[in-house]
Structures are given as C-alpha cells and as structure tokens.
C-alpha cells in the first residue's frame, strides 16, 4: 500500500495544528477565567442565600416578636367611642383635620369659640388633646406624629398595635438594626435556658412526650420531623462517637475502596466468631454523609487515611471532586509513598525515590550454553589440521 494514500499531506497537518493552536489559547483562557471567578462568586451567593434564610426565618420573626411585646405593654390607645370630632379646629401636621378630641375637652373648645369667636382655639392648645383614629381605636397625636415623621403615608400602619410596633423601633431602639441585635441576643439567651431546661429530667420527659404523643402521630409532619431531627442531632447533639479516624475499606467488594469513619470497637460475639479484632465503621453516602451503613470490619483490612474529618465530609459532599491536597495523586507524592512501601516504614517522611529503568548488562554464559559452545568449537576444523589441496602435508 502506498504511504501517500494513507497519510495526509504534511502541509495539511501543519495547517490543522496551527488552527488548533489558535483556538486552544482562547478556550484555555476562558476556562481558566471561569475557574478563578466562579469560586468567589458562588461563595458570595451561598453566603447571601444563607444570610437571607437566617434573616427571614430567625431574625425577622424574633424582631417582630420583640416589637409586639413592647407595643403590647406601651400601647396607650383608647376606644374611639370616647372621642368626637369637633369642627372649625385648626389643622395639624401629618393628619390635617382628621383627628378627634375627647368629649370633655370638646365642650371646652366649643365654649372658647363661642365666647371668643372663630379661630380662638390655636394649634398649640389642640396638640395635647388630639387623638388620631385607627379603626376602632384612637392614639395620641404625639405618638402618631413621631411615627409619621419616619415613614411614608402609604406605609403607615392601619391598626393601633402596628403603630406602636413602629414606635417601639424608633423610641426605644433608635433603629431597626439595634432592635434586631437585641432580638438576636435575647434569642441566644432563650436557647441557652431552653437547653438547660431540656437537659433536666422533667424537660426531657416533656420533649419526649411531645414528640411521641403529637408529632409522631401526624401523617406528613412525622416523616419530615424525623428526618430533620436526625440531621440536627448529628450536628448539634453531644456524641460519644469518635469521628477523628478516617479510614478506607474494600467495600462493596474486593478491589473497590470506600471511605469510612471508625466509630469504635465492634460487638463481642462478632469479634469471637471472626477470631480477630473488629472495628465498627460508618460508610457514608454521597452527597449526604450524615447517612450511611454501619459495618464491622477486621482491623487488618482497614487502611488509615491522612485526612481530617472536614476533608472527608467535603470529599463525600462533592461526590469525590474535592480531594484533599495531600491525597492528590502526583508524581512526587507517588514516588514518596512508593519509597515508604519499599522500605517497609509507613512513618517515613520526606523520603523520595526516583524510579529509573535498569541498565542493560551483558549476558553471561550459563552452564547449559558452555557444552554447546565447546561442541561447536570442536566441530570447527582446526587451522592446523586442515588439508590444503595445493600444499599437502609433509610426511615424516
């Protein structure tokens, strides 16, 4: 077969290589830029997302609760039936003439106008006795004005309780941020005392009765609550399980390695039946390492890994994408580990072995080849005994 028919021309190969080299740098730079920019962007997005969840479901409800409690105790509103609207009174700021006067003071203002004429009642005389209606309640004008200075008319609360909740923010805490900080501190204190109460006998008994008597009997809530409780107990409860030892075992069959956490020694009967020490190991599942399988494996078949528990969790959560730096397979680390294995010392650190191919050595003759050599040499005619037809040997 002709080589010219099977191989493309050299000019065409060079053109293809040049085009690939032109395209590759652009694609390479784009991927590198994406790889550098995505981690901080995703980190920021996750932090903002978590902060939003904390604010929506923890800080905001706690802040609203604190505001409501303060408003409940500082509410000075009265029923609207105790007040009447008087005509020809001067307009007030933020509410114009839409305000009420108590029945007692209304008669006094009417008497002043009747005796002194229209306009005798001034604004300063009315301010201390003016009440602004909110539904079936009425609030003092001073409280209404303090809230109206800060928010827009469209955002004004429609109830007296809402007005005093807004008033609690400005009058007692000056800003919503200060109120939120106080609410968070109160939440932490409440959780602390709740934890102390639950750890007591009566508190734990009440929690167990509440879980088994109410939550466990609800059709949908029971399944959700049990799953959430397992996750929260894993992270927040005090555990006697030691997860500081991360190992690798051959599971589910020989040749396939799985990551695991040593939780302690196995049971007595299992150890006696196996005839060697066993350890209990939790095999986590990805991408939820809080769940998995508990197995009893001989100590001789367990390989300790030089990684932390956090790195092991990251490895499981990422489905094997995030490999710890000291466990990445590189030429340098591979030579170092091979050197440790060859010397039989697993604790050797910093030893590096350079694997080079063996040098070629001349082949030495063996015992079997020597007779053959001798035989071949004996079969070859000697120069001394070879007869020359032209020069016959001399006879004695």
């Amino acid at each position: 077969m002709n080589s010219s028919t099977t191989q493309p021309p050299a000019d065409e190969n060079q053109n293809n290589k040049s085009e690939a080299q032109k395209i590759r740098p652009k694609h390479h730079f784009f991927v590198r830029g994406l790889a550098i920019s995505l981690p901080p962007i995703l980190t920021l997005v996750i932090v903002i997302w978590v902060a939003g969840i904390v604010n929506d479901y923890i800080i905001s409800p706690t802040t609203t609760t604190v505001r409501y409690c303060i408003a409940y105790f500082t509410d000075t509103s009265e029923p609207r039936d105790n007040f009447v609207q008087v005509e020809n009174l001067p307009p007030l700021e933020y509410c114009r003439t839409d305000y009420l006067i108590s029945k007692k003071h209304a008669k006094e203002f009417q008497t002043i106008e009747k005796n002194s004429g229209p306009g005798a009642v001034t604004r300063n005389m009315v301010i201390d006795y003016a009440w602004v209606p909110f539904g079936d309640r009425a609030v003092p004008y001073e409280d209404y004005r303090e809230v109206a200075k800060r928010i827009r008319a469209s955002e004004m609360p429609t109830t007296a309780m809402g007005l005093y909740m807004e008033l609690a923010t400005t009058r007692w805490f000056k800003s919503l941020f200060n109120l939120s900080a106080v609410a968070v501190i109160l939440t932490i204190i409440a959780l602390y005392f709740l934890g102390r109460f639950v750890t007591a006998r009566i508190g734990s008994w009440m929690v167990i009765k509440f879980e088994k008597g109410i939550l466990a009997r609800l059709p949908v809530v029971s399944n959700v609550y049990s799953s959430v409780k397992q996750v929260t107990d894993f992270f927040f409860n005090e555990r006697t399980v030691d997860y500081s030892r991360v190992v690798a075992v051959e599971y589910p069959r020989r040749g396939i390695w799985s990551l695991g956490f040593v939780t302690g020694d196995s049971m007595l009967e299992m150890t006696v039946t196996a005839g060697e020490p066993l350890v209990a190991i939790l095999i986590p599942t990805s991408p939820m390492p809080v769940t998995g399988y508990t197995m009893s494996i001989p100590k001789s078949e367990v390989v300790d890994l030089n990684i932390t528990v956090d790195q092991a969790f990251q490895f499981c959560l990422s489905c094997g994408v995030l490999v710890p730096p000291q466990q990445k397979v590189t030429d340098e680390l591979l030579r170092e580990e091979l050197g440790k294995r060859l010397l039989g010392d697993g604790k050797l650190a910093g030893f590096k072995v350079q694997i080079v191919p063996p040098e070629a050595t001349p082949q030495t003759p063996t015992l079997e080849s020597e007779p053959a050599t001798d035989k071949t040499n004996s079969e070859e005619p000697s120069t001394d005994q070879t007869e020359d037809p032209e020069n016959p040997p001399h006879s004695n």
Side-chain angles (χ1 to χ4, degrees), residues 64-354:
T64 303
T65 303
V66 173
R67 294 171 66 192
Y68 180 83
C69 293
I70 296 175
Y72 181 81
F73 290 104
T74 59
D75 186 2
T76 57
S77 63
E78 295 183 8
R80 185 172 179 175
D81 298 336
N82 298 337
F83 304 91
V84 295
Q85 189 170 9
V86 181
E87 298 180 356
N88 301 325
L89 292 181
L92 299 179
E93 191 179 8
Y94 300 111
C95 67
R96 306 298 295 171
T97 58
D98 188 15
Y99 60 90
L100 306 175
I101 303 294
S102 63
K103 295 179 180 179
K104 176 182 176 182
H105 295 93
K107 293 180 180 179
E108 294 180 359
F109 291 147
Q110 289 176 355
T111 304
I112 293 173
E113 285 188 357
K114 187 182 294 184
N115 297 332
S116 302
V121 179
T122 62
R123 182 181 302 176
N124 294 332
M125 297 172 57
V126 176
I127 286 178
D128 295 335
Y129 306 102
W131 293 70
V132 180
F134 276 86
D136 59 345
R137 309 285 294 182
V139 299
Y141 172 74
E142 301 242 350
D143 296 342
Y144 174 82
R145 182 177 60 180
E146 187 172 348
V147 175
K149 287 180 180 179
R150 189 176 58 87
I151 62 178
R152 300 175 181 177
S154 59
E155 299 176 356
M156 182 65 66
T158 57
T159 61
M161 181 60 67
L163 178 74
Y164 279 98
M165 289 178 64
E166 293 291 337
L167 187 63
T169 304
T170 57
R171 178 176 292 180
W172 297 91
F173 298 96
K174 303 302 181 182
S175 65
L176 185 61
F177 177 79
N178 297 335
L179 177 59
S180 301
V182 173
V184 171
I185 294 173
L186 293 177
T187 302
I188 295 173
I189 296 173
L191 291 176
Y192 171 77
F193 285 104
L194 179 64
R196 291 185 64 90
F197 174 75
V198 170
T199 51
R201 291 184 178 180
I202 186 172
S204 60
W205 178 81
M206 292 177 62
V207 171
I208 293 173
K209 288 295 182 181
F210 177 74
E211 290 178 349
K212 294 183 178 180
I214 299 177
L215 296 178
R217 296 182 179 180
L218 298 177
V220 179
V221 176
S222 60
N223 297 330
V224 177
Y225 178 78
S226 61
S227 302
V228 173
K229 184 173 176 56
Q230 290 178 0
V231 177
T232 54
D233 288 346
F234 180 83
F235 284 104
F236 297 107
N237 281 7
E238 294 181 359
R239 305 183 300 269
T240 57
V241 179
D242 184 14
Y243 290 102
S244 60
R245 185 180 173 190
V246 184
V247 297
V249 294
E250 287 187 287
Y251 174 82
R253 64 172 177 83
R254 294 287 182 182
I256 297 179
W257 292 87
S258 298
L259 185 143
F261 301 99
V262 176
T263 58
D265 295 330
S266 183
M267 299 183 182
L268 176 62
E269 294 183 358
M270 292 184 184
T271 304
V272 173
T273 304
E276 61 176 311
L278 301 179
V279 291
I281 295 178
L282 172 65
I283 306 295
T285 55
S286 295
M288 289 296 293
V290 296
T291 61
Y293 307 93
T294 303
M295 300 180 181
S296 297
I297 300 176
K299 285 185 178 181
S300 59
E301 298 182 5
V302 174
V303 178
D304 289 287
L305 299 179
N306 183 24
I307 61 175
T308 62
V309 177
D310 294 337
Q311 291 175 340
F313 270 94
Q314 292 176 2
F315 182 80
C316 295
L317 288 170
S318 63
C319 299
V321 176
L322 299 178
V323 180
Q326 70 273 20
Q327 292 293 335
K328 289 185 178 180
V329 181
T330 60
D331 294 339
E332 184 178 359
L333 291 178
L334 188 59
R335 293 192 185 98
E336 184 177 351
E337 292 298 324
L338 288 175
K340 295 177 184 179
R341 301 297 189 274
L342 292 175
L343 294 177
D345 187 2
K347 297 182 179 180
L348 190 63
F351 183 82
K352 296 183 180 180
V353 175
Q354 181 147 9

